[in-house]
Amino acid sequence: MTVATPASAVSTPIPAQPTPNLSPALVNGQRVWVECPHWCTEDHIAANERHLEDVCHTSGAADLIAARKDSAPHLLLLTRLIAGTGSTAEDRQPLVTIDVDDVTGMYLEPADADRFADDLVAFAQQVRALARTARGA
């Protein structure tokens, strides 16, 4: 007799937390090593911050580009992760930034970023509805 194991009883391994990287940085002209989160793409050498606490970590960006009629595309929104290197856990907490027109606009905690993304989806649906109306007009 064979007994099948229910799928819910099968244990799946918990993914390991990504390990941070040690990266070189220039701080007031001196080379130091900073611990970067796995998502950090910042060139800490080029930044050459004045103080160690000014070093920050940023991720790659996602852009929202709008193509204008008869002109070049225009950057509307840019989003990425950013985190400081301060002494408290709160200072080091990654935030989602939403930059408007290449000017820093908002720093969002993850739950707020989720709500913003939901609003963007609803907005996109409204844009599609307007485009359908324009096509049928």
Side-chain angles (χ1 to χ4, degrees), residues 73-125:
H74 180 75
L75 174 66
L76 291 179
L77 296 174
L78 175 141
T79 185
R80 62 188 168 162
L81 289 177
I82 188 167
T85 57
S87 58
T88 68
E90 185 178 49
D91 292 339
R92 296 184 305 273
Q93 175 66 39
L95 299 173
V96 176
T97 65
I98 308 293
D99 300 340
V100 179
D101 249 352
D102 207 22
V103 176
T104 300
M106 298 179 285
Y107 293 94
L108 304 174
E109 293 189 3
D112 295 325
D114 285 335
R115 283 189 286 281
F116 180 75
D118 291 342
D119 291 345
L120 281 176
V121 169
F123 179 77
Q125 291 169 342

Side-chain angles (χ1 to χ4, degrees), residues 34-92:
V34 295
E35 193 174 286
C36 291
H38 69 279
W39 47 262
C40 181
T41 60
E42 182 74 25
D43 181 352
H44 298 298
I45 294 289
N48 192 17
E49 298 293 352
R50 187 153 170 85
H51 303 284
L52 185 57
E53 58 270 9
D54 294 334
V55 173
C56 69
H57 305 287
T58 57
S59 70
D63 300 337
L64 178 61
I65 307 289
R68 295 180 180 178
K69 182 179 178 181
D70 301 327
S71 72
H74 180 75
L75 174 66
L76 291 179
L77 296 174
L78 175 141
T79 185
R80 62 188 168 162
L81 289 177
I82 188 167
T85 57
S87 58
T88 68
E90 185 178 49
D91 292 339
R92 296 184 305 273

